[in-house]
Amino acid sequence: MNKRIYNILFHTHTISGIVISVVLYIIFFAGSFALFRNEISTWEKGRTTKVELSQIDFDKIINELGEDYNLTGRKIYFIPLLETGQVKVWLEPSNIPNVSEEDLKSELFYLDIQNFTKKNRYENYNLGDFLFRLHFLGQIPGAGLYISGFVSFFFLFALITGLIIHWDKIITNFFLFRNKGKIKIKWTDTHTLLGVIGFPFQLMYAVTGAFFGLSILVLLPGYFLYENDTDKLMADLRPERAQVKWEKLTDQTPTSFNKFVAKYTANWEEVEPTHLEIENYQGINMEYSISGMPLAQNNFFNIAKRTASAYNLNDLKEIKPNEKASYIYGFQKIVNRLHFADYGGFGLKLLYALLSFITCVVILSGVMIWLTARKTKQYTEKQQKYQAKVCRLYMAICLSLYPVIALSFIFSRFLSESIKNQQAAYYIFFFILWFLLSFFFFKKRNNTYVFKKSLLWGSVLGICIPIINGILTQNWIWNTIQSQYSIFMIDSFWLILSAVGFFILYQIKKQSTNF
């Protein structure tokens, strides 16, 4: 590679990395926790109330809904949240022409399976939801998902250019870590070594993250190919969600939905049901359906669905789990499984989390390389001060996330369920605390201090999380390992994370490292 091309690629790698570094760090750091979204929700609830699908009385739920809403002509979604003992219910607007404005409103809420109490999304909001949305900047209305998509796209540029500029020495540099010498050498070796280790993982997340965040751009060519027929486009992309048009009202009595669920899940052991639907309620073409994901070891990229007439359960239409999926649909499912690590259990999620934290170190080391490389006579004193200020701001925002998230777990344990808007409570606590701590770190003007204190405070708070959880709920770690496995996993995760933090602090102190 000649010098000119190398310099172009090197500067492309540096600029693309610096521009997206803060947002990319937030995406990966929050994503490490978002992997355990369901476990965090169970931990926050304080108990596992896991139920079986057969224990849910859907007929009673439908009757309860009928007292509050006009269900005629609507599509009703049921998403069982078996781990927390809830059913997520989504009522689509009525398909009947010329209905009232009230019937054209969609409704979304969570229903407790045992006492049938309802919570809207603000009342049911929890820390798992918050961190999951922070992962794709969902707290920024409208634009957050697209920003995360563009960041993932530019991350892809940084990865490819980084691979090319290190290609000639990628093997020798992989085994090279110089623990002595200038700080720039340490940062460079750290960046290169961890970058090579995490490259396949980072590449996968760059591609899948860009796909999810910029899906609107992926669909644009489809609109032209399908001549703006969105119904046909979505039917091909998501065949399990194909809409059935309303025909007319009927006075026939539909078969029990409980009976449908029992009949068509009895011999479905290879499939995990994910959501159930009632289409065109009280219409002549009213249908019941149940969809599920085949177990990953049996089928990695397909879906199973069974649909029957509400008046004749033997009139069955089926998408079998072993049927060959279309290329488009198969690609979507592969992207989904790879991104959310839902194909290998808790151990795989831990591996994903470890690789996410490694990526965070790669990002920060890249910023520090950028800073130390500019402490030369090539840059004026004014330029160097500005670059140092930018680096301090980056470090303050990124490193403050660790103690803030740890303290948010403690906050969630004290947050009262009587607060109707749980979402607002999390927003106010998290973002105000994050701003104040970032401001405090930035004003310290010392990256070494910021790094050490963020690790220390985050690790101390992390140790406190299972202790406070045990005091307030009696869910001590030696009890939860037997029956409350999700709670045990979150407490264990924080103990492991804190132990790693203390070990890193010990190594820094031992070597008297300054940044």
Side-chain angles (χ1 to χ4, degrees), residues 80-99:
L81 306 174
L82 302 179
E83 189 74 20
T84 57
Q86 291 178 307
V87 176
K88 184 178 179 180
V89 181
W90 178 24
L91 305 179
E92 283 195 352
S94 176
N95 289 323
I96 303 175
N98 304 318
V99 294

Side-chain angles (χ1 to χ4, degrees), residues 196-365:
V196 172
I197 291 173
F199 180 83
F201 171 81
Q202 293 156 13
L203 183 65
M204 178 273 291
Y205 258 121
V207 173
T208 57
F211 177 81
F212 284 121
L214 302 176
S215 56
I216 185 67
L217 300 181
V218 176
L219 291 174
L220 281 178
Y223 290 121
F224 291 105
L225 291 173
Y226 283 79
E227 298 179 348
N228 294 326
D229 188 344
T230 55
D231 291 338
K232 187 177 180 182
L233 172 62
M234 295 312 297
D236 286 346
L237 288 175
R238 304 300 298 268
E240 85 283 8
R241 295 191 183 181
Q243 297 286 331
V244 179
K245 292 185 178 180
W246 170 265
E247 292 184 7
K248 64 179 181 178
L249 192 68
T250 181
D251 58 359
Q252 297 181 70
T253 302
T255 309
S256 161
F257 193 62
N258 286 343
K259 186 177 179 180
F260 164 78
V261 174
K263 180 174 182 177
Y264 287 115
T265 57
N267 57 346
W268 231 23
E269 292 83 3
E270 75 277 16
V271 176
E272 180 182 357
T274 53
H275 62 275
L276 306 94
E277 302 167 21
I278 299 176
E279 185 96 42
N280 292 322
Y281 189 78
Q282 291 186 333
I284 196 171
N285 58 339
M286 179 178 172
E287 289 184 342
Y288 295 152
S289 66
I290 179 169
S291 303
M293 293 290 292
L295 300 178
Q297 61 267 31
N298 296 332
N299 193 309
F300 196 74
F301 48 82
N302 207 350
I303 194 168
K305 184 175 182 179
R306 288 176 169 175
T307 304
S309 167
Y311 309 107
N312 180 11
L313 296 187
N314 294 322
D315 183 14
L316 179 68
K317 294 178 287 185
E318 184 174 11
I319 300 175
K320 296 182 179 180
N322 57 356
E323 285 184 7
K324 186 177 181 180
S326 67
Y327 172 79
I328 295 175
Y329 189 74
F331 175 76
Q332 291 181 80
K333 301 315 291 184
I334 288 174
V335 169
N336 193 75
R337 282 195 181 276
L338 287 175
H339 194 87
F340 293 105
D342 64 351
Y343 59 93
F346 185 71
L348 181 68
K349 289 184 179 181
L350 276 178
L351 178 61
Y352 266 54
L354 173 62
L355 290 169
S356 293
F357 288 132
I358 286 175
T359 305
C360 291
V361 177
V362 172
I363 295 167
L364 290 183
S365 60

Side-chain angles (χ1 to χ4, degrees), residues 472-502:
L472 296 179
T473 67
Q474 298 304 305
N475 287 328
W476 295 103
I477 197 166
W478 51 84
N479 294 327
T480 55
I481 191 174
Q482 300 173 9
S483 58
Q484 307 277 346
Y485 195 55
S486 292
I487 299 173
F488 168 77
M489 287 190 292
I490 296 303
D491 285 341
S492 301
F493 179 76
W494 273 110
L495 290 175
I496 294 170
L497 194 60
S498 299
V500 172
F502 285 127

